[in-house]
PDB file of all heavy atoms in Angstrom:
ATOM      1  N   ARG E   1     147.570 -93.010 -27.706  1.00 96.00           N
ATOM      2  CA  ARG E   1     146.551 -91.972 -27.575  1.00 96.00           C
ATOM      3  C   ARG E   1     146.941 -90.981 -26.474  1.00 96.00           C
ATOM      4  O   ARG E   1     147.885 -91.205 -25.722  1.00 96.00           O
ATOM      5  CB  ARG E   1     145.190 -92.604 -27.277  1.00 96.00           C
ATOM      6  CG  ARG E   1     144.695 -93.535 -28.383  1.00 96.00           C
ATOM      7  CD  ARG E   1     143.270 -93.956 -28.167  1.00 96.00           C
ATOM      8  NE  ARG E   1     142.797 -94.832 -29.242  1.00 96.00           N
ATOM      9  CZ  ARG E   1     141.548 -95.263 -29.356  1.00 96.00           C
ATOM     10  NH1 ARG E   1     140.630 -94.907 -28.442  1.00 96.00           N
ATOM     11  NH2 ARG E   1     141.198 -96.054 -30.352  1.00 96.00           N
ATOM     12  N   TYR E   2     146.162 -89.902 -26.394  1.00 96.00           N
ATOM     13  CA  TYR E   2     146.428 -88.831 -25.438  1.00 96.00           C
ATOM     14  C   TYR E   2     145.521 -88.959 -24.210  1.00 96.00           C
ATOM     15  O   TYR E   2     144.468 -89.626 -24.276  1.00 96.00           O
ATOM     16  CB  TYR E   2     146.217 -87.472 -26.096  1.00 96.00           C
ATOM     17  CG  TYR E   2     147.241 -87.144 -27.160  1.00 96.00           C
ATOM     18  CD1 TYR E   2     146.973 -87.392 -28.508  1.00 96.00           C
ATOM     19  CD2 TYR E   2     148.470 -86.579 -26.823  1.00 96.00           C
ATOM     20  CE1 TYR E   2     147.907 -87.080 -29.493  1.00 96.00           C
ATOM     21  CE2 TYR E   2     149.414 -86.272 -27.783  1.00 96.00           C
ATOM     22  CZ  TYR E   2     149.123 -86.533 -29.122  1.00 96.00           C
ATOM     23  OH  TYR E   2     150.058 -86.233 -30.081  1.00 96.00           O
ATOM     24  N   PRO E   3     145.893 -88.328 -23.085  1.00 95.00           N
ATOM     25  CA  PRO E   3     145.102 -88.465 -21.855  1.00 95.00           C
ATOM     26  C   PRO E   3     143.631 -88.081 -22.004  1.00 95.00           C
ATOM     27  O   PRO E   3     142.768 -88.711 -21.389  1.00 95.00           O
ATOM     28  CB  PRO E   3     145.823 -87.527 -20.880  1.00 95.00           C
ATOM     29  CG  PRO E   3     147.232 -87.508 -21.344  1.00 95.00           C
ATOM     30  CD  PRO E   3     147.154 -87.596 -22.843  1.00 95.00           C
ATOM     31  N   HIS E   4     143.315 -87.060 -22.826  1.00 94.00           N
ATOM     32  CA  HIS E   4     141.920 -86.614 -22.931  1.00 94.00           C
ATOM     33  C   HIS E   4     141.026 -87.653 -23.591  1.00 94.00           C
ATOM     34  O   HIS E   4     139.800 -87.532 -23.553  1.00 94.00           O
ATOM     35  CB  HIS E   4     141.847 -85.284 -23.700  1.00 94.00           C
ATOM     36  CG  HIS E   4     142.077 -85.418 -25.176  1.00 94.00           C
ATOM     37  ND1 HIS E   4     143.332 -85.277 -25.740  1.00 94.00           N
ATOM     38  CD2 HIS E   4     141.229 -85.690 -26.199  1.00 94.00           C
ATOM     39  CE1 HIS E   4     143.244 -85.447 -27.037  1.00 94.00           C
ATOM     40  NE2 HIS E   4     141.977 -85.696 -27.353  1.00 94.00           N
ATOM     41  N   GLU E   5     141.612 -88.685 -24.182  1.00 95.00           N
ATOM     42  CA  GLU E   5     140.833 -89.731 -24.841  1.00 95.00           C
ATOM     43  C   GLU E   5     140.444 -90.856 -23.878  1.00 95.00           C
ATOM     44  O   GLU E   5     139.856 -91.849 -24.303  1.00 95.00           O
ATOM     45  CB  GLU E   5     141.616 -90.302 -26.021  1.00 95.00           C
ATOM     46  CG  GLU E   5     141.950 -89.278 -27.090  1.00 95.00           C
ATOM     47  CD  GLU E   5     142.730 -89.875 -28.236  1.00 95.00           C
ATOM     48  OE1 GLU E   5     142.110 -90.585 -29.058  1.00 95.00           O
ATOM     49  OE2 GLU E   5     143.947 -89.641 -28.318  1.00 95.00           O
ATOM     50  N   PHE E   6     140.773 -90.675 -22.590  1.00 95.00           N
ATOM     51  CA  PHE E   6     140.466 -91.684 -21.584  1.00 95.00           C
ATOM     52  C   PHE E   6     139.520 -91.107 -20.540  1.00 95.00           C
ATOM     53  O   PHE E   6     139.484 -89.889 -20.321  1.00 95.00           O
ATOM     54  CB  PHE E   6     141.752 -92.180 -20.909  1.00 95.00           C
ATOM     55  CG  PHE E   6     142.674 -92.941 -21.816  1.00 95.00           C
ATOM     56  CD1 PHE E   6     143.530 -92.273 -22.681  1.00 95.00           C
ATOM     57  CD2 PHE E   6     142.675 -94.320 -21.814  1.00 95.00           C
ATOM     58  CE1 PHE E   6     144.393 -92.966 -23.514  1.00 95.00           C
ATOM     59  CE2 PHE E   6     143.527 -95.037 -22.643  1.00 95.00           C
ATOM     60  CZ  PHE E   6     144.379 -94.358 -23.503  1.00 95.00           C
ATOM     61  N   SER E   7     138.785 -91.979 -19.866  1.00 92.00           N
ATOM     62  CA  SER E   7     137.900 -91.554 -18.773  1.00 92.00           C
ATOM     63  C   SER E   7     138.722 -91.264 -17.524  1.00 92.00           C
ATOM     64  O   SER E   7     139.927 -91.552 -17.464  1.00 92.00           O
ATOM     65  CB  SER E   7     136.874 -92.647 -18.482  1.00 92.00           C
ATOM     66  OG  SER E   7     137.511 -93.797 -17.933  1.00 92.00           O
ATOM     67  N   GLY E   8     138.046 -90.700 -16.504  1.00 90.00           N
ATOM     68  CA  GLY E   8     138.747 -90.375 -15.269  1.00 90.00           C
ATOM     69  C   GLY E   8     139.360 -91.593 -14.608  1.00 90.00           C
ATOM     70  O   GLY E   8     140.508 -91.559 -14.144  1.00 90.00           O
ATOM     71  N   GLY E   9     138.617 -92.679 -14.535  1.00 92.00           N
ATOM     72  CA  GLY E   9     139.132 -93.895 -13.934  1.00 92.00           C
ATOM     73  C   GLY E   9     140.297 -94.473 -14.712  1.00 92.00           C
ATOM     74  O   GLY E   9     141.276 -94.964 -14.132  1.00 92.00           O
ATOM     75  N   GLN E  10     140.222 -94.405 -16.045  1.00 94.00           N
ATOM     76  CA  GLN E  10     141.314 -94.902 -16.880  1.00 94.00           C
ATOM     77  C   GLN E  10     142.557 -94.035 -16.719  1.00 94.00           C
ATOM     78  O   GLN E  10     143.684 -94.548 -16.684  1.00 94.00           O
ATOM     79  CB  GLN E  10     140.875 -94.938 -18.346  1.00 94.00           C
ATOM     80  CG  GLN E  10     139.840 -96.013 -18.650  1.00 94.00           C
ATOM     81  CD  GLN E  10     139.274 -95.887 -20.047  1.00 94.00           C
ATOM     82  OE1 GLN E  10     139.199 -94.792 -20.617  1.00 94.00           O
ATOM     83  NE2 GLN E  10     138.873 -97.018 -20.625  1.00 94.00           N
ATOM     84  N   ARG E  11     142.355 -92.706 -16.604  1.00 94.00           N
ATOM     85  CA  ARG E  11     143.510 -91.821 -16.408  1.00 94.00           C
ATOM     86  C   ARG E  11     144.192 -92.101 -15.073  1.00 94.00           C
ATOM     87  O   ARG E  11     145.416 -92.023 -14.971  1.00 94.00           O
ATOM     88  CB  ARG E  11     143.073 -90.357 -16.486  1.00 94.00           C
ATOM     89  CG  ARG E  11     142.746 -89.898 -17.901  1.00 94.00           C
ATOM     90  CD  ARG E  11     142.666 -88.391 -18.000  1.00 94.00           C
ATOM     91  NE  ARG E  11     141.504 -87.838 -17.305  1.00 94.00           N
ATOM     92  CZ  ARG E  11     140.366 -87.512 -17.904  1.00 94.00           C
ATOM     93  NH1 ARG E  11     140.208 -87.716 -19.206  1.00 94.00           N
ATOM     94  NH2 ARG E  11     139.368 -86.989 -17.207  1.00 94.00           N
ATOM     95  N   GLN E  12     143.389 -92.423 -14.047  1.00 94.00           N
ATOM     96  CA  GLN E  12     144.014 -92.748 -12.770  1.00 94.00           C
ATOM     97  C   GLN E  12     144.793 -94.055 -12.862  1.00 94.00           C
ATOM     98  O   GLN E  12     145.848 -94.208 -12.229  1.00 94.00           O
ATOM     99  CB  GLN E  12     142.967 -92.818 -11.662  1.00 94.00           C
ATOM    100  CG  GLN E  12     143.532 -92.790 -10.256  1.00 94.00           C
ATOM    101  CD  GLN E  12     144.319 -91.528  -9.950  1.00 94.00           C
ATOM    102  OE1 GLN E  12     145.399 -91.307 -10.481  1.00 94.00           O
ATOM    103  NE2 GLN E  12     143.760 -90.676  -9.100  1.00 94.00           N
ATOM    104  N   ARG E  13     144.310 -94.988 -13.655  1.00 95.00           N
ATOM    105  CA  ARG E  13     145.057 -96.233 -13.881  1.00 95.00           C
ATOM    106  C   ARG E  13     146.382 -95.942 -14.599  1.00 95.00           C
ATOM    107  O   ARG E  13     147.398 -96.598 -14.338  1.00 95.00           O
ATOM    108  CB  ARG E  13     144.220 -97.221 -14.689  1.00 95.00           C
ATOM    109  CG  ARG E  13     143.039 -97.810 -13.917  1.00 95.00           C
ATOM    110  CD  ARG E  13     142.145 -98.648 -14.811  1.00 95.00           C
ATOM    111  NE  ARG E  13     140.965 -99.119 -14.103  1.00 95.00           N
ATOM    112  CZ  ARG E  13     140.856-100.313 -13.531  1.00 95.00           C
ATOM    113  NH1 ARG E  13     141.865-101.165 -13.586  1.00 95.00           N
ATOM    114  NH2 ARG E  13     139.749-100.667 -12.901  1.00 95.00           N
ATOM    115  N   ILE E  14     146.362 -94.960 -15.488  1.00 96.00           N
ATOM    116  CA  ILE E  14     147.599 -94.555 -16.150  1.00 96.00           C
ATOM    117  C   ILE E  14     148.580 -94.003 -15.115  1.00 96.00           C
ATOM    118  O   ILE E  14     149.779 -94.312 -15.143  1.00 96.00           O
ATOM    119  CB  ILE E  14     147.303 -93.504 -17.237  1.00 96.00           C
ATOM    120  CG1 ILE E  14     146.481 -94.130 -18.367  1.00 96.00           C
ATOM    121  CG2 ILE E  14     148.603 -92.907 -17.787  1.00 96.00           C
ATOM    122  CD1 ILE E  14     145.897 -93.119 -19.342  1.00 96.00           C
ATOM    123  N   GLY E  15     148.066 -93.168 -14.209  1.00 95.00           N
ATOM    124  CA  GLY E  15     148.911 -92.642 -13.147  1.00 95.00           C
ATOM    125  C   GLY E  15     149.474 -93.734 -12.258  1.00 95.00           C
ATOM    126  O   GLY E  15     150.638 -93.656 -11.816  1.00 95.00           O
ATOM    127  N   ILE E  16     148.678 -94.757 -11.988  1.00 96.00           N
ATOM    128  CA  ILE E  16     149.151 -95.890 -11.182  1.00 96.00           C
ATOM    129  C   ILE E  16     150.232 -96.654 -11.930  1.00 96.00           C
ATOM    130  O   ILE E  16     151.252 -97.043 -11.346  1.00 96.00           O
ATOM    131  CB  ILE E  16     147.968 -96.804 -10.816  1.00 96.00           C
ATOM    132  CG1 ILE E  16     146.996 -96.068  -9.883  1.00 96.00           C
ATOM    133  CG2 ILE E  16     148.460 -98.094 -10.175  1.00 96.00           C
ATOM    134  CD1 ILE E  16     145.699 -96.813  -9.637  1.00 96.00           C
ATOM    135  N   ALA E  17     150.021 -96.865 -13.233  1.00 96.00           N
ATOM    136  CA  ALA E  17     151.029 -97.565 -14.039  1.00 96.00           C
ATOM    137  C   ALA E  17     152.351 -96.811 -14.034  1.00 96.00           C
ATOM    138  O   ALA E  17     153.425 -97.416 -13.946  1.00 96.00           O
ATOM    139  CB  ALA E  17     150.512 -97.743 -15.468  1.00 96.00           C
ATOM    140  N   ARG E  18     152.276 -95.484 -14.131  1.00 96.00           N
ATOM    141  CA  ARG E  18     153.500 -94.685 -14.091  1.00 96.00           C
ATOM    142  C   ARG E  18     154.189 -94.814 -12.726  1.00 96.00           C
ATOM    143  O   ARG E  18     155.421 -94.886 -12.643  1.00 96.00           O
ATOM    144  CB  ARG E  18     153.179 -93.221 -14.369  1.00 96.00           C
ATOM    145  CG  ARG E  18     154.368 -92.287 -14.279  1.00 96.00           C
ATOM    146  CD  ARG E  18     153.993 -90.866 -14.649  1.00 96.00           C
ATOM    147  NE  ARG E  18     152.948 -90.329 -13.761  1.00 96.00           N
ATOM    148  CZ  ARG E  18     152.385 -89.137 -13.909  1.00 96.00           C
ATOM    149  NH1 ARG E  18     152.751 -88.360 -14.922  1.00 96.00           N
ATOM    150  NH2 ARG E  18     151.453 -88.718 -13.069  1.00 96.00           N
ATOM    151  N   ALA E  19     153.397 -94.854 -11.649  1.00 96.00           N
ATOM    152  CA  ALA E  19     153.965 -94.922 -10.301  1.00 96.00           C
ATOM    153  C   ALA E  19     154.679 -96.242 -10.038  1.00 96.00           C
ATOM    154  O   ALA E  19     155.650 -96.289  -9.277  1.00 96.00           O
ATOM    155  CB  ALA E  19     152.870 -94.701  -9.265  1.00 96.00           C
ATOM    156  N   ILE E  20     154.210 -97.334 -10.643  1.00 96.00           N
ATOM    157  CA  ILE E  20     154.814 -98.652 -10.371  1.00 96.00           C
ATOM    158  C   ILE E  20     155.823 -99.054 -11.437  1.00 96.00           C
ATOM    159  O   ILE E  20     156.362-100.161 -11.393  1.00 96.00           O
ATOM    160  CB  ILE E  20     153.730 -99.746 -10.250  1.00 96.00           C
ATOM    161  CG1 ILE E  20     152.987 -99.939 -11.573  1.00 96.00           C
ATOM    162  CG2 ILE E  20     152.756 -99.420  -9.134  1.00 96.00           C
ATOM    163  CD1 ILE E  20     152.017-101.106 -11.570  1.00 96.00           C
ATOM    164  N   ALA E  21     156.105 -98.154 -12.384  1.00 95.00           N
ATOM    165  CA  ALA E  21     156.975 -98.503 -13.515  1.00 95.00           C
ATOM    166  C   ALA E  21     158.358 -98.947 -13.065  1.00 95.00           C
ATOM    167  O   ALA E  21     158.974 -99.816 -13.688  1.00 95.00           O
ATOM    168  CB  ALA E  21     157.084 -97.315 -14.469  1.00 95.00           C
ATOM    169  N   LEU E  22     158.872 -98.363 -11.993  1.00 95.00           N
ATOM    170  CA  LEU E  22     160.234 -98.657 -11.535  1.00 95.00           C
ATOM    171  C   LEU E  22     160.273 -99.677 -10.392  1.00 95.00           C
ATOM    172  O   LEU E  22     161.299 -99.834  -9.736  1.00 95.00           O
ATOM    173  CB  LEU E  22     160.904 -97.359 -11.072  1.00 95.00           C
ATOM    174  CG  LEU E  22     161.094 -96.292 -12.154  1.00 95.00           C
ATOM    175  CD1 LEU E  22     161.582 -94.988 -11.547  1.00 95.00           C
ATOM    176  CD2 LEU E  22     162.047 -96.775 -13.231  1.00 95.00           C
ATOM    177  N   ASN E  23     159.134-100.357 -10.180  1.00 95.00           N
ATOM    178  CA  ASN E  23     159.034-101.339  -9.085  1.00 95.00           C
ATOM    179  C   ASN E  23     159.392-100.725  -7.739  1.00 95.00           C
ATOM    180  O   ASN E  23     160.311-101.197  -7.030  1.00 95.00           O
ATOM    181  CB  ASN E  23     159.934-102.546  -9.356  1.00 95.00           C
ATOM    182  CG  ASN E  23     159.506-103.325 -10.575  1.00 95.00           C
ATOM    183  OD1 ASN E  23     158.317-103.595 -10.763  1.00 95.00           O
ATOM    184  ND2 ASN E  23     160.457-103.677 -11.426  1.00 95.00           N
ATOM    185  N   PRO E  24     158.697 -99.656  -7.335  1.00 96.00           N
ATOM    186  CA  PRO E  24     159.005 -99.006  -6.056  1.00 96.00           C
ATOM    187  C   PRO E  24     158.584 -99.876  -4.881  1.00 96.00           C
ATOM    188  O   PRO E  24     157.801-100.823  -5.019  1.00 96.00           O
ATOM    189  CB  PRO E  24     158.176 -97.724  -6.117  1.00 96.00           C
ATOM    190  CG  PRO E  24     156.990 -98.108  -6.940  1.00 96.00           C
ATOM    191  CD  PRO E  24     157.522 -99.050  -7.992  1.00 96.00           C
ATOM    192  N   ARG E  25     159.083 -99.529  -3.713  1.00 96.00           N
ATOM    193  CA  ARG E  25     158.695-100.218  -2.485  1.00 96.00           C
ATOM    194  C   ARG E  25     157.626 -99.447  -1.725  1.00 96.00           C
ATOM    195  O   ARG E  25     156.872-100.042  -0.959  1.00 96.00           O
ATOM    196  CB  ARG E  25     159.929-100.426  -1.606  1.00 96.00           C
ATOM    197  CG  ARG E  25     161.012-101.275  -2.249  1.00 96.00           C
ATOM    198  CD  ARG E  25     162.274-101.324  -1.395  1.00 96.00           C
ATOM    199  NE  ARG E  25     162.017-101.943  -0.103  1.00 96.00           N
ATOM    200  CZ  ARG E  25     162.894-101.972   0.890  1.00 96.00           C
ATOM    201  NH1 ARG E  25     164.078-101.393   0.743  1.00 96.00           N
ATOM    202  NH2 ARG E  25     162.605-102.549   2.038  1.00 96.00           N
ATOM    203  N   PHE E  26     157.586 -98.120  -1.921  1.00 97.00           N
ATOM    204  CA  PHE E  26     156.677 -97.269  -1.157  1.00 97.00           C
ATOM    205  C   PHE E  26     155.982 -96.286  -2.087  1.00 97.00           C
ATOM    206  O   PHE E  26     156.615 -95.674  -2.945  1.00 97.00           O
ATOM    207  CB  PHE E  26     157.460 -96.508  -0.078  1.00 97.00           C
ATOM    208  CG  PHE E  26     156.660 -95.467   0.662  1.00 97.00           C
ATOM    209  CD1 PHE E  26     155.594 -95.839   1.467  1.00 97.00           C
ATOM    210  CD2 PHE E  26     156.980 -94.118   0.562  1.00 97.00           C
ATOM    211  CE1 PHE E  26     154.854 -94.886   2.152  1.00 97.00           C
ATOM    212  CE2 PHE E  26     156.254 -93.164   1.246  1.00 97.00           C
ATOM    213  CZ  PHE E  26     155.188 -93.550   2.042  1.00 97.00           C
ATOM    214  N   ILE E  27     154.651 -96.144  -1.918  1.00 97.00           N
ATOM    215  CA  ILE E  27     153.869 -95.227  -2.746  1.00 97.00           C
ATOM    216  C   ILE E  27     152.963 -94.394  -1.849  1.00 97.00           C
ATOM    217  O   ILE E  27     152.278 -94.925  -0.970  1.00 97.00           O
ATOM    218  CB  ILE E  27     153.012 -95.989  -3.776  1.00 97.00           C
ATOM    219  CG1 ILE E  27     153.906 -96.672  -4.812  1.00 97.00           C
ATOM    220  CG2 ILE E  27     152.039 -95.051  -4.490  1.00 97.00           C
ATOM    221  CD1 ILE E  27     153.132 -97.478  -5.850  1.00 97.00           C
ATOM    222  N   VAL E  28     152.964 -93.080  -2.080  1.00 97.00           N
ATOM    223  CA  VAL E  28     151.999 -92.184  -1.452  1.00 97.00           C
ATOM    224  C   VAL E  28     150.821 -92.037  -2.398  1.00 97.00           C
ATOM    225  O   VAL E  28     150.983 -91.551  -3.521  1.00 97.00           O
ATOM    226  CB  VAL E  28     152.619 -90.806  -1.162  1.00 97.00           C
ATOM    227  CG1 VAL E  28     151.545 -89.836  -0.657  1.00 97.00           C
ATOM    228  CG2 VAL E  28     153.738 -90.925  -0.141  1.00 97.00           C
ATOM    229  N   ALA E  29     149.650 -92.484  -1.982  1.00 95.00           N
ATOM    230  CA  ALA E  29     148.420 -92.319  -2.764  1.00 95.00           C
ATOM    231  C   ALA E  29     147.674 -91.122  -2.191  1.00 95.00           C
ATOM    232  O   ALA E  29     146.983 -91.229  -1.178  1.00 95.00           O
ATOM    233  CB  ALA E  29     147.569 -93.585  -2.699  1.00 95.00           C
ATOM    234  N   ASP E  30     147.851 -89.966  -2.830  1.00 93.00           N
ATOM    235  CA  ASP E  30     147.326 -88.703  -2.317  1.00 93.00           C
ATOM    236  C   ASP E  30     145.928 -88.458  -2.870  1.00 93.00           C
ATOM    237  O   ASP E  30     145.780 -87.957  -3.989  1.00 93.00           O
ATOM    238  CB  ASP E  30     148.274 -87.556  -2.690  1.00 93.00           C
ATOM    239  CG  ASP E  30     147.843 -86.224  -2.087  1.00 93.00           C
ATOM    240  OD1 ASP E  30     146.954 -86.222  -1.214  1.00 93.00           O
ATOM    241  OD2 ASP E  30     148.393 -85.186  -2.488  1.00 93.00           O
ATOM    242  N   GLU E  31     144.908 -88.810  -2.095  1.00 89.00           N
ATOM    243  CA  GLU E  31     143.514 -88.656  -2.529  1.00 89.00           C
ATOM    244  C   GLU E  31     143.318 -89.313  -3.892  1.00 89.00           C
ATOM    245  O   GLU E  31     142.683 -88.751  -4.788  1.00 89.00           O
ATOM    246  CB  GLU E  31     143.136 -87.168  -2.596  1.00 89.00           C
ATOM    247  CG  GLU E  31     143.337 -86.405  -1.312  1.00 89.00           C
ATOM    248  CD  GLU E  31     142.163 -86.541  -0.358  1.00 89.00           C
ATOM    249  OE1 GLU E  31     141.227 -87.297  -0.682  1.00 89.00           O
ATOM    250  OE2 GLU E  31     142.189 -85.892   0.694  1.00 89.00           O
ATOM    251  N   ALA E  32     143.827 -90.530  -4.032  1.00 89.00           N
ATOM    252  CA  ALA E  32     143.891 -91.162  -5.349  1.00 89.00           C
ATOM    253  C   ALA E  32     142.529 -91.523  -5.929  1.00 89.00           C
ATOM    254  O   ALA E  32     142.421 -91.775  -7.137  1.00 89.00           O
ATOM    255  CB  ALA E  32     144.759 -92.418  -5.271  1.00 89.00           C
ATOM    256  N   VAL E  33     141.472 -91.565  -5.105  1.00 87.00           N
ATOM    257  CA  VAL E  33     140.151 -91.942  -5.627  1.00 87.00           C
ATOM    258  C   VAL E  33     139.092 -90.882  -5.367  1.00 87.00           C
ATOM    259  O   VAL E  33     137.938 -91.060  -5.744  1.00 87.00           O
ATOM    260  CB  VAL E  33     139.687 -93.289  -5.014  1.00 87.00           C
ATOM    261  CG1 VAL E  33     140.642 -94.420  -5.388  1.00 87.00           C
ATOM    262  CG2 VAL E  33     139.540 -93.196  -3.499  1.00 87.00           C
ATOM    263  N   SER E  34     139.461 -89.765  -4.745  1.00 84.00           N
ATOM    264  CA  SER E  34     138.462 -88.774  -4.340  1.00 84.00           C
ATOM    265  C   SER E  34     137.806 -88.080  -5.527  1.00 84.00           C
ATOM    266  O   SER E  34     136.676 -87.588  -5.413  1.00 84.00           O
ATOM    267  CB  SER E  34     139.090 -87.726  -3.420  1.00 84.00           C
ATOM    268  OG  SER E  34     140.093 -87.002  -4.095  1.00 84.00           O
TER     269      SER E  34
END
């Protein structure tokens, strides 16, 4: 499905999934819940 088919909280979870996809060690969460 496409991003517009998800709620705001679900879209942020998608962004989190993308951020951890490569198993990073450090993440900048820039106003991630505001």
Side-chain angles (χ1 to χ4, degrees):
R1 298 189 179 186
Y2 292 96
H4 74 268
E5 299 180 75
F6 294 81
S7 68
Q10 290 171 331
R11 287 195 291 262
Q12 195 60 291
R13 290 173 185 264
I14 294 168
I16 294 171
R18 177 177 60 184
I20 64 173
L22 297 172
N23 296 315
R25 299 174 63 188
F26 173 65
I27 293 179
V28 173
D30 185 12
E31 304 276 4
V33 298
S34 63

